[in-house]
Amino acid sequence: MAFAYRGGVLCAEQVSLDEIARRFGTPCYVYSRALIESAYGGFARALRRRDALVCYSVKANSNLAVLALMARLGAGFDIVSGGELARVLAAGADPAKILFSGVGKSAAEIEQALRAGVRCLNLESEAELARVDSVAARLGSRAPIAFRVNPDIDAKTHAYISTGMRHDKFGVPYGESERLYREASRSPHVQIVGIGCHIGSQMLQPAPLAAAVARLASLAARLERAGIALRHIDVGGGLGIRYRNERVAPVGRFVASCLKALRGRKETLILDPGRALVGNAGVLLTRVEYVKRNGARRFLVVDAAMNDLLRPALYGAWHDVVPVRKNRGRRAVYDVVGPVCESADFLARGRRLAAREGDLLAVRSAGAYAMAMSSNYNSRPRAAEVMVDGDKAQLVRSRETVEQLFALERIP
Ligand code: LLP
């Protein structure tokens, strides 16, 4: 086990989190390379008998060390901005394995992607088709494109991370997609290479995904009859992980359902998971600053806050909080809160813990949408990030300094 207690101390692989806190300070994100590799291996195994590509969804965790590891493992990348494109290229990505998704690509980002030679731009509107066509015409190139189709299927997840229903801003309506493909096929500056969807995140069971993939497969068949051939079918990401006690279908079951829905189709199958590859490979290490009590409520005020980990405040997300050193102290029920001036600044509520001032806690399942969604609210420098590999811990992002936070500001 990559995060397990040894001699009463929680370790990341073979390095104790005590030692990491001593060397790198807190708050600090700690990732296990072995866990990322094994999560990737799960996808690779499930897909081994099929022409397929896993495009890691960079938004989940965009640290260069994570991206470089994915590239070495053979992953492609699902990106959503010029910034993510620059990152994956800096980390050694093969442009032929990059998908550029997102509802609001600027002309500059489209140009950057075409110059880099990405595999595909996933278009989300007719207006975007026109823009891509004109940028490609100006560059004298042909843009490889797919439409992200909105299949109008409920992913059965949190409303903020459900993306595949008619009222969501994402994709083009299923009913209009055939017409859009015909229109794209007449443009000399775009080349149709695929079709895609992504219906939501943190899905626990494969049925909604399978239903969406079946819709893509039937659309692909109709396009084929219309003389429009596709190279790939991109079914998105969204595979859930266990934060608490959720029953999550294993990756193999998600993949098997996709393969079943695609039966007979020969296009390359692309998946773009984020959370399932990195979510449980990271923890947020934090130190208790104060133990306090207001009326009947007890608080552990820790040095990490909502600016470091926004998910509890934004989605009411549940992350496990465990002591780094097992102890026999008296347990009580605490809210684990940060120093930020907002009542939504909590990492966990109502947890039974024994903790004293100065103790270290680990917030689990913090590898995805954690550091990636952090901010500098309250002028708090962002946390350090550490990657552990066996008995080695390496700093992969330095803690920000306060000077860096206002280095771009000017007093007129
Ligand atoms: N592909 C597309 C087109 C996406 O929009 C997303 C995520 C993914 C793939 C990866 O989804 P995953 O496999 O990680 O579920 N901040 C939220 C999650 C937002 C997901 C946005 N899109 C959270 O913390 O739960």
Side-chain angles (χ1 to χ4, degrees):
M1 266 296 288
F3 287 106
Y5 288 92
R6 289 162 199 271
V9 184
L10 188 62
C11 295
E13 302 192 22
Q14 282 139 55
V15 186
S16 85
L17 294 181
D18 256 357
E19 183 193 327
I20 290 180
R22 245 190 331 270
R23 276 179 64 194
F24 305 105
T26 55
C28 174
Y29 278 100
V30 185
Y31 309 122
S32 154
R33 179 190 151 120
L35 280 183
I36 296 176
E37 272 189 28
S38 91
Y40 183 83
F43 281 89
R45 266 194 310 284
L47 290 162
R48 69 185 178 281
R49 275 196 277 277
R50 163 92 195 197
D51 172 21
L53 178 64
V54 175
C55 288
Y56 168 60
S57 194
V58 173
K59 62 175 84 72
N61 185 328
S62 54
N63 185 287
L64 289 186
V66 173
L67 302 179
L69 172 58
M70 294 292 180
R72 281 199 300 278
L73 291 171
F77 296 94
D78 170 59
I79 60 165
V80 292
S81 70
E84 287 190 351
L85 177 57
R87 268 181 186 278
V88 296
L89 293 175
D94 173 0
K97 293 185 186 172
I98 298 174
L99 306 178
F100 193 174
S101 309
V103 287
K105 302 176 199 75
S106 70
E109 287 176 317
I110 292 165
E111 177 168 345
Q112 189 188 348
L114 294 179
R115 287 190 190 281
V118 301
R119 177 190 181 105
C120 182
L121 292 156
N122 284 341
L123 307 188
E124 303 215 18
S125 63
E126 192 163 0
E128 193 186 353
L129 172 63
R131 185 178 291 182
V132 167
D133 190 58
S134 81
V135 173
R138 179 159 54 75
L139 297 181
S141 69
R142 255 185 123 184
I145 63 123
F147 282 100
R148 171 172 174 179
V149 173
N150 183 327
D152 194 23
I153 282 169
D154 184 355
K156 302 242 170 9
T157 181
H158 191 290
Y160 285 12
I161 51 176
S162 171
T163 48
M165 291 185 65
R166 211 182 339 220
H167 56 254
D168 293 320
K169 71 174 175 178
F170 298 100
V172 300
Y174 187 73
E176 285 173 38
S177 47
E178 217 174 311
R179 176 180 67 76
L180 291 171
Y181 270 100
R182 287 177 199 271
E183 189 180 321
S185 72
R186 288 191 292 270
S187 162
H189 297 292
V190 307
Q191 179 174 15
I192 296 168
V193 296
I195 186 174
C197 76
H198 171 77
I199 61 170
S201 199
Q202 184 57 12
M203 291 188 283
L204 301 180
Q205 294 299 324
L209 181 62
V213 176
R215 301 202 93 179
L216 291 190
S218 94
L219 181 55
R222 271 179 282 141
L223 293 175
E224 191 171 25
R225 286 197 289 279
I228 297 173
L230 307 176
R231 259 179 77 197
H232 70 241
I233 298 183
D234 166 15
V235 304
L239 287 77
I241 61 168
R242 174 177 283 191
Y243 284 93
R244 188 177 192 175
N245 48 14
E246 304 88 338
R247 289 178 55 150
V248 193
V251 168
R253 279 219 6 244
F254 277 96
V255 169
S257 311
C258 291
L259 294 177
K260 192 165 165 214
L262 286 175
R263 222 178 0 217
R265 303 242 40 102
K266 297 282 185 289
E267 295 86 353
T268 303
L269 166 61
I270 298 184
L271 277 94
D272 29 89
R275 189 189 321 261
L277 288 173
V278 292
N280 273 330
V283 302
L284 172 58
L285 185 57
T286 183
R287 197 179 285 281
V288 177
E289 292 280 9
Y290 298 101
V291 181
K292 69 177 272 185
R293 189 171 174 167
N294 278 356
R297 254 193 141 95
R298 294 169 194 267
F299 298 92
L300 295 176
V301 183
V302 298
D303 63 3
M306 66 188 289
N307 74 296
D308 300 298
L309 180 65
L310 185 60
R311 303 191 72 256
L314 188 59
Y315 313 114
W318 194 96
H319 286 257
D320 200 10
V321 177
V322 295
V324 166
R325 251 174 208 286
K326 279 196 173 154
N327 61 63
R328 291 188 220 284
R330 268 257 304 275
R331 302 208 303 170
V333 175
Y334 292 103
D335 285 1
V336 181
V337 302
V340 163
C341 304
E342 302 268 351
S343 289
D345 180 26
F346 62 91
L347 300 178
R349 282 181 159 161
R351 302 302 170 82
R352 252 196 122 63
L353 288 161
R356 287 187 313 203
E357 195 173 309
D359 282 359
L360 290 168
L361 300 175
V363 183
R364 304 208 52 171
S365 309
Y369 305 111
M371 180 65 175
M373 291 172 75
S374 65
S375 77
N376 293 121
Y377 188 39
N378 280 202
S379 283
R380 289 170 50 82
R382 254 176 280 235
E385 292 180 286
V386 169
M387 176 81 81
V388 173
D389 181 8
D391 59 4
K392 285 195 311 286
Q394 272 177 305
L395 189 64
V396 293
R397 190 183 204 270
S398 305
R399 182 177 309 287
E400 277 173 346
T401 66
V402 168
E403 293 67 35
Q404 286 170 334
L405 300 193
F406 54 78
L408 300 178
E409 296 170 31
R410 296 287 178 273
I411 301 173

